[in-house]
Amino acid sequence: MAQRIDVKDLNIFYGEFKAVADVEMSVEPRSVTAFIGPSGCGKSTFLRTLNRMHEVIPGAHVQGSVAMDGVDLYGSDIDPVAVRRQVGMVFQRPNPFPTMSIAENVLAGIKLNNKRISKSDADDVVEQSLRHANLWNEVKDRLNRPGSGLSGGQQQRLCIARAIAVKPQVLLMDEPCSALDPISTLAIEDLIAELKSDYTIVIVTHNMQQAARVSDRTAFFNLAATGEPGRLVEIDETSTIFSSPRVQATEDYISGRFG
Amino acid sequence: MTSTQSPPTQDGVRPTKDVESPRPGRRPRTRVADKGASRLFRWTATGAGALILVLLVAVAAFLVLRALPALTTPAAELTEEVSWMGEATSLLDFVGPLIFGTILAAALALVIATPIALGIALFTSHYAPRRLASGLGYLVDLLAAIPSVVYGLWGGLVLAPMVKPIWAWLNEYLGFIPFFAGTVSPTARVLMTVGLVLAVMILPIITAVSREVFLQTPRLHEEAALALGATRWEMIRVAVLPFARSGIVSAAMLGLGRALGETMAVLMILSPGFLYSFKLLEAGQQQTIAANIAAQFPEANPLGVSALIATGLALFVITLVVNMAARAIVARRKDFSGAN
Ligand SMILES: Nc1ncnc2c1ncn2[C@@H]1O[C@H](COP(=O)(O)OP(=O)(O)OP(=O)(O)O)[C@@H](O)[C@H]1O
Ligand SMILES: [Mg+2]
């Protein structure tokens, strides 16, 4: 199910402002790729181009191509809605639907995709997804309570459950653990390791140890100066990036000598 | 604002019962300058709140006091003295059809206006390009600025002749539905036309309020839906409408409130009657409380005025009940409202 992603000459704009320039990279199927880099360098922006969520912001557009198993996501005959059904996303801030119960939240994507499923199948999906996201034990007695009644970390895990319930080909995660305690963080990392066998995963993180722990490859983004577009500095095996990066800026950033 | 918790001690721990807390029952001391301003604000806010309550009570008291003569006069004497009460055998018998007519007219307006208003609001908030959206919003707001006399004139002189063939068609082919039954009026000065005009009148308020609510949908929730592969309409269904639910109810209730009390437009269009009748296309069937007061007031004797005020009291109560019902609806799913 997992698919490879090839990005070529990608420039990303917010209206006139070029936020990210000239990205060129490949993401292997069934791997975890981590994006690291200083705040504002365009990690989230780039991540959102991989499921065409970038363009929902008024004025936002891209130039270049993002190919998934050889098919350009930005081709004229591609429906962004179809892309987003294949590429799941977990946001930086947890965003469960406040008007839905916990169970409804998990099932939201499936209901959207217009699949009719039986009550027992639905119950299975809810349990499986919540177990996967390490949330089942905490919420199994209150599946019909609103999702917004959970703690921040629980809400984030609910969002992960919601994203994986539809079994996407690719899973994008934008700092999924920034609202979590260390235990939940470890649980999510285990989850990522587990999901890797089925999915292609791209994760943005500010936590170096996390990048080192979970990812196979790491991409370092940087910003020459404010107002300049962010750029991909280098992408390589995670072990290489953390032991002997080719670029000095990467080493400075990783060792905390940045700025 | 009336927190009775004792203030945290310096290290941030709340004092336990046995430790004597400084100034029990007081709010924590803040900076002195802040205190004056915040106290002023508190009193102003409380005052404004109380003023509304006082006004409400004053209106209710006025209505009750002035309605009292009509309420206490024996029915026979009342119907004798007040010529325009016609066939009615008591005040209740008189006000009943009026309440019925008022609610029917307002409900009709609401049924017509709400879907259109929600459509316009959604279009301007989530579909239209920004320039077009603001232009359209402005146009709809302009509708609110037109005086109701103008609506009355327009409804009677322009709209009624225009809709006449439509009403005739409805009567002929859908006449089996009670609303469209009866003899269709040749002038179209009927409740259906009134409902249509009232719908136009309450369109702006419903549109404006629901548009504001739609625009306030958190971006985060819209994106959550889109990222799951929702189309724009599905995104609206999943994220926007549930979030806006209580706002929509409030918007509709504001519209209903206006429709219930509307006087001139009804007075100038409707050919009145005093029946419990669902026939929307027949003349001389219904009348609303407000229009009836305006129609009878100039020639009413003191007891007649009192009787009219009694009908006004009924309108006041209806409006209160409608609002309370709306609040109850909104409160029912509070947990899921997304307020937290
Ligand atoms: N909605 C937007 N409209 C205009 N500019 C934006 C928008 N979102 C982000 N930007 C700009 O794009 C650039 C990249 O932002 P982005 O959010 O991708 O950074 P980031 O690397 O994810 O940072 P962080 O680590 O803080 O999340 C920044 O200069 C930011 O100001
Ligand atoms: Mg970011």
Side-chain angles (χ1 to χ4, degrees):
Chain A
M1 286 229 313
Q3 300 196 327
R4 68 175 287 119
I5 305 171
D6 293 291
V7 179
K8 279 211 181 63
D9 287 333
L10 196 70
N11 289 284
I12 312 172
F13 300 83
Y14 289 103
E16 295 293 297
F17 174 61
K18 193 189 225 179
V20 180
D22 306 325
V23 181
E24 189 102 29
M25 74 159 72
S26 292
V27 176
E28 298 296 325
R30 294 190 187 77
S31 72
V32 178
T33 304
F35 293 174
I36 59 172
S39 188
C41 68
K43 304 178 298 293
S44 302
T45 302
F46 175 57
L47 191 74
R48 288 165 58 97
T49 61
L50 300 182
N51 66 344
R52 296 194 62 170
M53 277 301 287
H54 177 64
E55 65 207 72
V56 308
I57 295 164
H61 58 106
V62 304
Q63 284 167 3
S65 89
V66 178
M68 205 160 279
D69 270 2
V71 180
D72 185 3
L73 296 185
Y74 287 90
S76 55
D77 55 341
I78 301 289
D79 180 2
V81 170
V83 172
R84 292 175 203 141
R85 288 185 181 182
Q86 312 266 310
V87 184
M89 183 160 201
V90 176
F91 292 79
Q92 197 162 348
R93 279 168 61 203
N95 55 358
F97 297 117
T99 51
M100 292 185 188
S101 70
I102 292 170
E104 285 168 339
N105 260 289
V106 176
L107 293 171
I110 292 174
K111 295 247 169 80
L112 276 182
N113 295 350
N114 277 328
K115 289 196 197 101
R116 293 256 158 271
I117 56 168
S118 67
K119 176 85 173 64
S120 64
D121 283 355
D123 290 346
D124 282 351
V125 170
V126 169
E127 179 167 352
Q128 282 304 319
S129 309
L130 287 173
R131 276 194 193 283
H132 248 78
N134 192 37
L135 187 61
W136 175 250
N137 286 328
E138 285 154 76
V139 301
K140 62 173 182 249
D141 300 324
R142 44 173 172 156
L143 292 174
N144 294 317
R145 299 292 307 147
S148 50
L150 299 173
S151 79
Q154 289 171 328
Q155 289 188 21
Q156 188 65 312
R157 281 176 282 154
L158 178 58
C159 292
I160 293 175
R162 180 176 67 187
I164 58 180
V166 292
K167 307 216 181 314
Q169 320 247 335
V170 177
L171 191 58
L172 309 177
M173 304 175 121
D174 192 349
E175 298 181 44
C177 302
S178 58
L180 302 192
D181 67 299
I183 295 171
S184 308
T185 301
L186 281 180
I188 299 292
E189 290 179 9
D190 288 346
L191 169 65
I192 292 171
E194 207 177 299
L195 293 174
K196 189 168 84 170
S197 53
D198 294 322
Y199 303 97
T200 305
I201 295 174
V202 182
I203 178 172
V204 175
T205 178
H206 277 294
N207 180 332
M208 298 302 147
Q209 288 83 11
Q210 183 170 60
R213 278 194 302 262
V214 302
S215 70
D216 304 304
R217 284 160 68 81
T218 297
F220 173 61
F221 289 79
N222 205 354
L223 196 65
T226 44
E228 294 276 303
R231 287 171 192 278
L232 172 63
V233 175
E234 65 176 312
I235 174 167
D236 213 327
E237 297 297 315
T238 298
S239 51
T240 314
I241 290 281
F242 281 92
S243 57
S244 52
R246 281 180 289 115
V247 183
Q248 184 62 36
T250 313
E251 191 173 342
D252 289 349
Y253 182 73
I254 288 167
S255 56
R257 268 181 277 137
F258 184 77
Chain B
M1 277 307 287
T2 50
S3 159
T4 50
Q5 276 176 328
S6 30
T9 50
Q10 268 190 329
D11 51 1
V13 181
R14 284 193 192 290
T16 42
K17 274 266 160 58
D18 50 338
V19 180
E20 212 203 327
S21 61
R23 301 165 155 275
R26 288 287 196 90
R27 273 163 289 116
R29 248 180 188 285
T30 40
R31 271 173 296 138
V32 183
D34 263 8
K35 214 171 168 186
S38 97
R39 182 183 289 168
L40 180 72
F41 175 75
R42 200 156 72 94
W43 284 113
T44 323
T46 316
L51 186 67
I52 292 175
L53 213 64
V54 168
L55 279 176
L56 208 64
V57 170
V59 170
F62 161 81
L63 287 172
V64 171
L65 279 180
R66 300 294 301 271
L68 219 51
L71 292 173
T72 48
T73 310
E77 195 182 320
L78 185 71
T79 45
E80 166 93 41
E81 284 254 341
V82 185
S83 57
W84 39 256
M85 277 177 68
E87 317 273 273
T89 53
S90 69
L91 189 60
L92 207 63
D93 194 26
F94 176 68
V95 80
L98 283 175
I99 294 177
F100 175 83
T102 305
I103 293 179
L104 187 61
L108 187 61
L110 200 63
V111 166
I112 300 173
T114 308
I116 301 175
L118 294 184
I120 298 175
L122 270 184
F123 180 73
T124 49
S125 68
H126 283 85
Y127 283 93
R130 209 172 303 166
R131 182 97 42 88
L132 180 63
S134 64
L136 195 65
Y138 182 68
L139 274 184
V140 173
D141 287 346
L142 268 188
L143 285 181
I146 300 174
S148 56
V149 185
V150 177
Y151 274 112
L153 279 173
W154 171 74
L157 299 178
V158 182
L159 189 69
M162 259 166 56
V163 295
K164 208 167 64 181
I166 308 176
W167 292 175
W169 186 91
L170 282 176
N171 179 251
E172 189 166 345
Y173 294 101
L174 299 173
F176 58 88
I177 302 171
F179 293 116
F180 303 141
T183 359
V184 67
S185 153
T187 57
R189 290 179 169 274
V190 292
L191 203 69
M192 192 71 178
T193 313
V194 169
L196 205 56
V197 173
L198 288 180
V200 177
M201 296 176 75
I202 64 177
L203 198 64
I205 182 82
I206 303 182
T207 308
V209 173
S210 36
R211 180 185 57 208
E212 287 314 307
V213 182
F214 292 153
L215 284 174
Q216 277 165 18
T217 314
R219 184 104 208 121
L220 221 54
H221 298 145
E222 295 183 357
E223 292 201 342
L226 289 174
L228 281 173
T231 60
R232 203 189 306 222
W233 166 241
E234 287 168 336
M235 181 267 280
I236 287 170
R237 226 187 48 213
V238 171
V240 179
L241 291 182
F243 174 83
R245 228 178 78 100
S246 60
I248 294 172
V249 174
S250 317
M253 287 309 137
L254 280 173
L256 188 62
R258 170 142 198 222
L260 283 171
E262 177 49 40
T263 311
M264 282 318 284
V266 183
L267 184 68
M268 294 169 76
I269 298 169
L270 189 63
S271 137
F274 297 86
L275 308 172
Y276 292 102
S277 163
F278 282 108
K279 294 176 188 155
L280 300 180
L281 302 178
E282 194 170 319
Q285 302 293 299
Q286 307 92 347
Q287 172 69 309
T288 72
I289 294 175
N292 184 61
I293 293 177
Q296 312 294 5
F297 194 80
E299 280 147 47
N301 56 20
L303 197 57
V305 169
S306 175
L308 288 176
I309 290 176
T311 64
L313 182 62
L315 182 59
F316 182 76
V317 173
I318 294 172
T319 317
L320 272 188
V321 169
V322 161
N323 270 300
M324 268 148 47
R327 265 168 214 288
I329 294 172
V330 172
R332 223 177 36 210
R333 269 173 63 99
K334 213 177 204 152
D335 280 356
F336 287 85
S337 71
N340 44 0

